[in-house]
């Protein structure tokens, strides 16, 4: 008997995304696409877990034989102390978004946000040279932290960070403790953009339902690349303004897709491809 439905077997590999809420997550659709594309006997499911139940749920998933899980808001920080081993980047970012359950039962924590950020830019702008000039980073939250560390690792000569709450940017700079990070004014002075090679928005401004990001790109060199981690809408006002001036722009959807690759690779054995068709599939209604 042949069934038109994909069914699981006793050896299917299991993974998922834990969060509260998790219904908005695009990860099940994304991983589901790759599982079908590569014909993998596996399953990736949404796992709504209340923060109070987080520790128990993580251990249970391991005991149930899961290969691993992604962890999303508000549990990224909660996952850190639960892990037996942390990747260098997870430790430095201070949050875990990818947990792998090793055969011996140990929990390995990783953070792939910075990887996703860099890989997206590399794929969309293959000639990008992170060492070619200063980067300007808007925002000082968790996403900013991952972006700052990734840019430093890529050899950025200087990073100017600006945030509505200046103290938060200063604290972040102090904590990362790299002389290449400088805190600059919010809103940005034109001088901060004058020789920039890269502008990154890591704030939630410009996202559907959020206030607009007020920024004047006047004076930004035409050679600078502008990117946004917001991907709803795909073309934010920031990207539209940059595009109009002739700057190359990269939207934020690719960061979400690329950050999922290391987990998929570890759990299902294939480093999956980010393609235009995948972008369309993830954006299309279920
Ligand atoms: P994430 O982990 O996604 O980075 P976050 O830690 O909540 O989320 O950080 C949100 C970022 O967006 C912060 O830089 C925040 O600025 P503050 O530190 O001043 O709060 C920024 N942000 C959010 N709403 C904002 C607004 N209305 N104006 C300016 N910045 C805003």
């Amino acid at each position: 008997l042949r069934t038109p439905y994909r069914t699981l077997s006793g050896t299917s590999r299991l993974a998922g995304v834990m969060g509260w809420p998790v219904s908005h997550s695009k990860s099940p659709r994304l991983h589901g696409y790759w599982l079908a594309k590569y014909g993998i006997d596996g399953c990736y499911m949404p796992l709504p877990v209340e923060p109070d139940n987080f520790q128990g749920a993580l251990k249970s998933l391991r005991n149930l034989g899961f290969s691993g899980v992604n962890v999303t808001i508000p549990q990224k920080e909660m996952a850190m102390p639960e892990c037996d081993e942390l990747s260098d980047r997870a430790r430095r970012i201070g949050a875990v978004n990818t947990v792998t359950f090793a055969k011996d039962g140990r929990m390995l924590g990783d953070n792939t946000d910075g990887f996703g950020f860099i890989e997206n830019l590399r794929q969309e702008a293959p000639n990008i040279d992170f060492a070619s000039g200063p980067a300007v980073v808007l925002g000082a939250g968790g996403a900013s932290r991952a972006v700052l560390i990734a840019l430093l690792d890529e050899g950025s000569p200087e990073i100017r960070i600006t945030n509505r709450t200046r103290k938060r940017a200063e604290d972040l700079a102090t904590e990362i403790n790299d002389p290449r990070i400088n805190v600059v004014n919010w809103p940005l002075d034109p001088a901060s953009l004058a020789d920039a090679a890269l502008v990154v928005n890591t704030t939630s401004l410009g996202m559907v339902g959020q206030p607009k990001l007020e920024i004047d790109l006047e004076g930004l060199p035409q050679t600078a690349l502008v990117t946004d981690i917001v991907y709803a809408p795909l073309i934010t006002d920031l990207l539209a303004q940059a595009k109009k001036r002739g700057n190359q722009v990269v939207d934020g959807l690719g960061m979400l897709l690329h950050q999922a690759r290391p987990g998929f690779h570890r759990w299902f054995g294939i480093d999956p491809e980010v393609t235009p068709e995948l972008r369309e599939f993830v954006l299309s209604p279920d």
Side-chain angles (χ1 to χ4, degrees), residues 73 77 138-145 162-166 168-169 186 201-205 207 210-213 229:
I73 311 271
E77 278 85 14
L138 314 174
S144 169
R145 197 182 168 105
T162 175
N163 195 51
R164 171 182 62 178
T165 314
R166 188 181 176 105
R168 219 173 157 202
W186 174 283
N201 174 43
T202 75
T203 74
S204 47
L205 294 172
M207 195 187 290
Q210 297 290 320
K212 211 178 139 188
L213 171 62
I229 71 160

Side-chain angles (χ1 to χ4, degrees), residues 11 29 33 44 54-55 68 132 143 145 193-194 211 219 232 234 238 254:
T11 55
R29 198 167 169 77
Y33 174 93
Y44 184 103
F54 177 74
Q55 292 182 350
S132 69
R145 197 182 168 105
L193 287 172
L234 214 45
L238 169 69

Side-chain angles (χ1 to χ4, degrees), residues 36-255:
K37 172 172 174 170
Y38 297 108
I40 292 169
D41 178 18
C43 174
Y44 184 103
M45 57 191 97
L47 302 163
V49 176
E50 284 187 54
D52 278 354
N53 296 332
F54 177 74
Q55 292 182 350
L58 195 62
K59 290 200 171 72
S60 298
L61 290 169
R62 178 194 61 195
N63 297 344
L64 286 164
F66 270 59
S67 298
V69 281
N70 286 122
V71 177
T72 185
I73 311 271
Q75 298 165 358
K76 282 186 174 188
E77 278 85 14
M78 294 175 76
M80 273 234 328
E82 301 308 312
C83 291
D84 299 297
E85 201 178 297
L86 292 171
S87 66
D88 181 52
R89 57 195 185 191
R91 192 175 306 113
R92 287 161 73 213
I93 295 169
V96 161
N97 71 348
T98 306
V99 179
T100 299
F101 303 120
K103 290 220 163 54
D104 61 5
R106 283 158 24 94
M107 294 193 199
L108 316 177
D110 191 11
N111 189 310
T112 64
D113 286 337
F115 169 87
F117 172 74
I118 298 292
E119 287 287 300
N120 181 35
L121 293 185
R122 277 206 207 291
Q123 181 161 323
E124 299 299 323
N127 294 326
I128 193 163
D129 175 7
F130 294 99
S132 69
V136 175
V137 175
L138 314 174
S144 169
R145 197 182 168 105
V147 164
L148 291 177
I149 288 169
L151 287 174
L152 290 171
D153 287 352
E154 292 298 325
S156 185
E158 184 192 349
I159 304 177
R160 299 174 188 144
I161 173 173
T162 175
N163 195 51
R164 171 182 62 178
T165 314
R166 188 181 176 105
K167 172 84 167 57
R168 219 173 157 202
E170 283 168 352
D171 289 349
L172 188 54
T174 305
E175 217 184 305
I176 296 177
N177 190 24
D178 189 298
R180 291 174 289 167
I181 300 182
N182 290 313
V183 177
V184 298
N185 286 340
W186 174 283
L188 270 177
D189 296 325
S192 298
L193 287 172
D195 56 349
L198 178 67
V199 177
V200 187
N201 174 43
T202 75
T203 74
S204 47
L205 294 172
M207 195 187 290
V208 176
Q210 297 290 320
K212 211 178 139 188
L213 171 62
E214 306 284 350
I215 183 173
D216 187 354
L217 296 178
E218 174 101 32
L220 179 70
Q222 286 256 307
T223 49
L225 190 149
V226 180
T227 187
D228 204 321
I229 71 160
V230 170
Y231 60 83
L234 214 45
I235 297 298
T236 58
D237 287 330
L238 169 69
L239 296 189
Q241 188 190 149
K243 212 169 168 178
K244 209 165 146 197
R245 311 176 64 251
N247 289 93
Q248 184 176 4
V249 304
V250 176
D251 67 61
L253 180 63
M255 176 175 172

